[in-house]
Amino acid sequence: MNCARNSGQQDICYYDPAMDQVIRHRLNIVDELRYAVARQQFSLCYQAQKRISDKKIVGFEALLRWEHPMLGAVSPVVFIPVAEESGLIQEIGEWVLRTACHAASQWEQPYRISVNVSAEQFHHHDLPGLVRDVLETTGLSPSRLELELTETAIFTDMARATAILNELKAMGVSIAVDDYGTGHSSLGLIRDIVFDRIKLDKLFVQNALGNETDKAIIRAVIFLGRSLQTTVLAEGVETEEQFAFLADEGCDEIQGFLLSRPLPHDLLVATGKVSLIAE
Ligand code: C2E
Ligand code: MG
Ligand code: MG
């Protein structure tokens, strides 16, 4: 029944053993996720973000990694939706925020630290309260913290979203709209909410060189950002050609494999990307 409902086109679906496997796999992940924080299976990687005008690193995005003893490395694309559905995202999200802010508070350079916040975490908890507590505990300046939200996360409940975002902004925390251009209501959103940064989804960047439509979309978003005085960051920049195109078009910041892969904290320090405050 669920298969027919979800397909949108078929009225009748026949049982297939693969359906059981999908459900079993999900249940397995939920069971394992439940203990992942306590068993210290999570870690964070940090990916650099660079300003094009002066070629300076301006921040790092914290990206969650889950290494399970039996399942191996599980992608956040797989386990974040499961964590959201099961409610486990609250505990996991809090761990991410505390760990990322603590790490950044140890850096000598005052880089921005960007943390992804999922829809569930945003709408169903006292996010401003948690952020306030984490900033107090870690001593990180609010101006160094940026929260990344997707269009869909915000649009789920615009009135509530606006109130929460205003509270966070009043604390001095910045807000970025992540994966911009892939949600439903891009223009309405940036009309109603003033973001500090628009993160143009990597889909456009990666198709841009061979596709005039994607080029046009990138130009339009950069123009929009400039008109609204909002910084535009292009995600997923992998090649010099993509970088040159974005720089020519006046994009403000980039993030992607060209600059650096997401790195564990010890490697960030060992490779000299950040230095730690001396004890
Ligand atoms: P995102 O926030 O848009 O993060 C960017 C993703 O693009 C990361 O994938 C990163 O590794 C990947 N990426 C960066 N540069 C390049 C590039 O040049 N080429 C390509 N092909 N990919 C690049 P990752 O780490 O697998 O994370 C996927 C998504 O999972 C994230 O997308 C975010 O939505 C979610 N996620 C990751 N960590 C967290 C977290 O702590 N909390 C929440 N709620 N979601 C998270
Ligand atoms: Mg992100
Ligand atoms: Mg993104």
Side-chain angles (χ1 to χ4, degrees), residues 61 116 148 150 178-180 199-202 235:
E61 177 175 4
N116 292 286
E148 296 194 3
T150 60
D178 203 357
D179 305 340
Y180 186 73
K199 296 192 75 180
L200 181 63
D201 193 75
K202 56 176 176 281
E235 297 189 90

Side-chain angles (χ1 to χ4, degrees), residues 19-265:
M19 293 171 182
D20 271 354
Q21 268 186 342
V22 172
I23 294 167
R24 226 173 270 136
H25 182 63
R26 274 185 110 72
L27 286 177
N28 198 1
I29 290 194
V30 175
D31 275 348
E32 296 302 318
L33 264 182
R34 217 176 288 286
Y35 305 105
V37 170
R39 291 179 182 160
Q40 301 181 344
Q41 292 167 355
F42 286 127
S43 64
L44 291 182
C45 276
Y46 299 84
Q47 190 179 33
Q49 302 173 330
K50 190 182 203 168
R51 186 160 52 212
I52 296 181
S53 61
D54 58 5
K55 303 189 175 65
K56 286 215 166 101
I57 300 290
V58 283
F60 288 87
E61 177 175 4
L63 293 160
L64 184 57
R65 298 290 174 256
W66 181 24
E67 184 70 35
H68 184 272
M70 305 296 282
L71 303 170
V74 188
S75 163
V77 179
V78 173
F79 72 79
I80 293 285
V82 181
E84 287 209 284
E85 276 172 31
S86 58
L88 292 168
I89 194 69
Q90 302 303 346
E91 187 193 355
I92 298 173
E94 178 171 342
W95 181 87
V96 171
L97 191 65
R98 287 195 189 280
T99 309
C101 290
H102 173 72
S105 73
Q106 308 291 303
W107 302 342
E108 208 167 51
Q109 306 93 326
Y111 293 133
R112 176 176 77 220
I113 178 79
S114 304
V115 177
N116 292 286
V117 174
S118 74
E120 197 57 26
Q121 206 182 343
F122 182 65
H123 287 288
H124 293 138
H125 231 249
D126 176 20
L127 185 63
L130 173 66
V131 169
R132 198 172 290 118
D133 180 62
V134 170
L135 291 173
E136 269 172 26
T137 318
T138 60
L140 187 80
S141 157
S143 63
R144 290 183 55 199
L145 176 62
E146 180 156 278
L147 301 179
E148 296 194 3
L149 287 148
T150 60
E151 298 164 75
T152 323
I154 299 168
F155 250 101
T156 310
D157 181 345
M158 267 303 267
R160 192 175 146 75
T162 311
I164 299 173
L165 291 179
N166 285 342
E167 203 176 333
L168 289 164
K169 278 158 164 279
M171 288 162 57
V173 171
S174 341
I175 309 291
V177 55
D178 203 357
D179 305 340
Y180 186 73
T182 56
H184 307 290
S185 353
S186 321
L187 291 175
L189 187 71
I190 54 173
R191 182 196 61 196
D192 295 336
I193 294 173
V194 180
F195 289 101
D196 299 282
R197 204 167 324 279
I198 294 175
K199 296 192 75 180
L200 181 63
D201 193 75
K202 56 176 176 281
L203 181 88
F204 303 107
V205 175
Q206 297 186 340
N207 288 337
L209 296 179
N211 185 317
E212 287 307 316
T213 310
D214 285 302
K215 273 189 188 157
I217 291 172
I218 293 177
R219 287 192 187 105
V221 173
I222 292 173
F223 183 75
L224 206 57
R226 199 174 302 145
S227 316
L228 297 170
Q229 291 168 339
T230 304
T231 306
V232 175
L233 179 149
E235 297 189 90
V237 182
E238 292 182 357
T239 67
E240 289 291 353
E241 289 77 14
Q242 289 164 350
F243 173 73
F245 169 73
L246 291 161
D248 279 353
E249 295 300 333
C251 183
D252 302 296
E253 296 176 359
I254 59 153
Q255 181 180 345
F257 295 165
L258 177 69
L259 192 59
S260 170
R261 296 242 164 202
L263 297 174
H265 197 257

